[in-house]
């Protein structure tokens, strides 16, 4: 992880109200990581423990990969490197909880609500789907993220629970053998009931198929079903904005499409040949989880 500064033992105090990042090198053996970090930074031990639990503290020893350090009483050795990424606003966040849709042991399928990150950052991961899944299984299963959804979007996400499943699903995604279908409510009435959008995204080829499900005259909006062929960043949002029919509630793309209910985009269906069970699978979001805007009016 990048660092703004490097402190050795005895570094000094920091501001507990602002965002900052510090890397510290352990100069002598430490029996309790949280006590040592509190002494090095001037933060209270309670704030340090909270930051550790929420994934804001990183630990590295020798040539081993860097990882989050969550256990407050972890022992530290001379030469260990700890990085504390402190953002009180991020650490104070609370997010909606995901819903388990299907559990197949080697992998599970979840409905991520709008407003929840798919994965965390160096500043913390407590408000992320990946961490919440890990906690749901009480850290007894590994968690591997296979694909992402925008924070503002909601919908189905597959999480693998071992390296074999992660590798096999990764191959499906790489070969475009995992079909993803979305529902979106867009501004206006489209000229064609179905079609494809192939505008490049960030200079790369991008293709989306769509079919209009319903047009609502009262709101001048269309409910569309979209199949992604490629998976560029914000592809659906950018494609429909470029087409002149931006998604309602999109805070980033389009004009005249703001909505108090937020982004109207849901990953509502997945279809694939299960690489673990060797059979066709189709997972549809339960009706009870679909937002009100996704229903025909």
């Amino acid at each position: 992880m990048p660092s703004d500064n490097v402190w050795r033992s005895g570094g000094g105090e920091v501001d507990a109200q602002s965002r900052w990042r510090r890397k510290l090198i352990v100069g002598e053996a430490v029996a309790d990581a949280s006590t040592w970090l509190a002494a090095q930074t001037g933060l209270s031990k309670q704030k340090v423990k909270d930051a550790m639990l929420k994934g804001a503290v990183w630990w590295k020893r020798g040539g081993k990969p860097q990882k989050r350090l969550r256990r407050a009483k972890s022992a530290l050795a001379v030469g260990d490197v700890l990085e504390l990424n402190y953002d009180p606003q991020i650490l104070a966040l609370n997010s909606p909880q995901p819903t388990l849709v299907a559990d197949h042991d080697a992998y599970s399928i979840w409905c991520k609500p709008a407003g929840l990150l798919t994965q965390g950052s160096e500043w913390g991961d407590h408000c992320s789907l990946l961490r919440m899944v890990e906690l749901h299984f009480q850290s007894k299963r590994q968690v591997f993220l296979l694909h992402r959804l925008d924070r503002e979007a909601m919908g189905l996400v597959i999480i693998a629970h071992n390296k074999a499943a992660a590798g096999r699903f990764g191959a499906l995604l790489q070969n475009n053998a995992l079909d993803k279908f979305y529902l979106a409510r867009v501004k206006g009435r489209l000229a064609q009931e179905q079609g494809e959008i192939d505008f490049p995204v960030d200079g790369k080829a991008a293709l989306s198929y769509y079919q209009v499900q319903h047009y609502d005259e009262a709101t001048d909006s269309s409910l569309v079903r979209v199949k992604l062929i490629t998976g560029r960043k914000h592809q659906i949002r950018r494609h429909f904005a470029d087409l002149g029919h931006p998604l309602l509630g999109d805070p980033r793309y389009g004009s005249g499409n703001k909505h108090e209910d937020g982004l109207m985009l849901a990953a509502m269906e997945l279809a694939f040949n299960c690489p673990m069970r060797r059979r066709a699978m189709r997972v549809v979001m339960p009706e009870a989880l679909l937002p009100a805007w996704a229903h025909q009016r």
Side-chain angles (χ1 to χ4, degrees):
M1 292 292 170
S3 179
D4 298 329
N5 206 346
V6 177
W7 283 9
R8 295 183 182 275
S9 299
E13 295 186 358
V14 297
D15 181 0
Q17 303 304 315
S18 62
R19 173 175 173 146
W20 47 266
R21 188 200 317 263
R22 293 292 183 269
K23 182 181 287 186
L24 303 107
I25 301 175
V26 179
E28 58 183 351
V30 171
D32 185 308
S34 63
T35 300
W36 184 81
L37 274 173
Q40 298 303 308
T41 64
L43 288 174
S44 69
K45 191 172 179 180
Q46 181 180 359
K47 282 186 168 62
V48 169
K49 286 183 175 181
D50 183 62
M52 294 179 76
L53 186 63
K54 293 177 178 177
V57 177
W58 295 78
W59 168 75
K60 183 171 175 56
R61 174 174 292 173
K64 296 181 180 179
Q66 188 180 43
K67 64 179 184 179
R68 299 185 200 268
L69 182 67
R70 302 189 194 272
R71 187 169 173 270
K73 294 186 178 298
S74 295
L76 304 175
V78 175
D80 282 0
V81 178
L82 266 64
E83 185 168 313
L84 173 55
N85 302 301
Y86 193 84
D87 188 323
Q89 292 185 344
I90 290 178
L91 294 174
L93 288 175
N94 290 306
S95 290
Q97 294 290 314
T99 301
L100 178 61
V101 174
D103 185 357
H104 297 292
D105 296 326
Y107 66 97
S108 55
I109 301 174
W110 295 76
C111 179
K112 183 193 83 67
L116 181 66
L117 291 165
T118 308
Q119 65 179 139
S121 70
E122 66 265 35
W123 301 95
D125 65 349
H126 64 295
C127 287
S128 72
L129 172 65
L130 202 63
R131 177 59 175 161
M132 289 182 177
V133 172
E134 187 176 49
L135 291 173
H136 175 85
F137 291 116
Q138 300 178 331
S139 299
K140 294 178 180 178
R141 297 194 201 180
Q142 294 177 291
V143 291
F144 298 91
L145 185 63
L146 302 171
H147 57 111
R148 295 170 176 80
L149 276 181
D150 298 343
R151 179 176 184 171
E152 302 92 345
M154 62 93 66
L156 300 175
V157 179
I158 303 174
I159 303 294
H161 296 302
N162 57 53
K163 290 183 178 179
R168 292 177 187 178
F169 273 101
L172 285 185
L173 289 163
Q174 188 174 8
N175 294 322
N176 291 323
L178 194 156
D179 292 332
K180 293 179 278 187
F181 300 89
Y182 296 75
L183 282 179
R185 187 166 287 278
V186 305
K187 180 182 176 182
R189 187 170 198 160
L190 281 74
Q192 296 180 325
E193 291 294 306
Q194 61 184 17
E196 64 179 50
I197 311 173
D198 60 359
F199 305 132
V201 173
D202 295 329
K204 298 178 180 179
L207 180 60
S208 306
Y209 291 132
Y210 74 87
Q211 183 173 34
V212 176
Q213 306 291 293
H214 177 70
Y215 171 71
D216 181 51
E217 188 173 358
T219 60
D220 186 29
S221 67
S222 298
L223 182 67
V224 296
R225 175 182 168 92
V226 185
K227 179 182 179 181
L228 279 185
I229 305 303
T230 54
R232 309 302 181 197
K233 183 177 182 180
H234 298 169
Q235 179 174 317
I236 293 175
R237 298 164 64 180
R238 295 168 77 170
H239 265 177
F240 280 93
D242 289 344
L243 195 64
H245 297 279
L247 272 62
L248 294 189
D250 194 328
R252 184 166 182 175
Y253 303 101
S255 60
N257 60 320
K258 306 310 176 190
H259 200 285
E260 61 183 9
D261 291 339
L263 180 67
M264 297 188 181
L265 177 64
M268 48 78 64
E269 186 176 335
L270 299 169
F272 55 92
N273 286 316
C274 176
M276 314 305 292
R277 300 187 174 193
R278 307 295 181 185
R279 68 184 188 190
M281 298 282 288
R282 182 173 292 272
V283 183
V284 179
M285 185 186 300
E287 187 76 15
L289 297 179
L290 278 175
W293 62 259
H295 296 278
Q296 295 184 13
R297 299 174 185 174

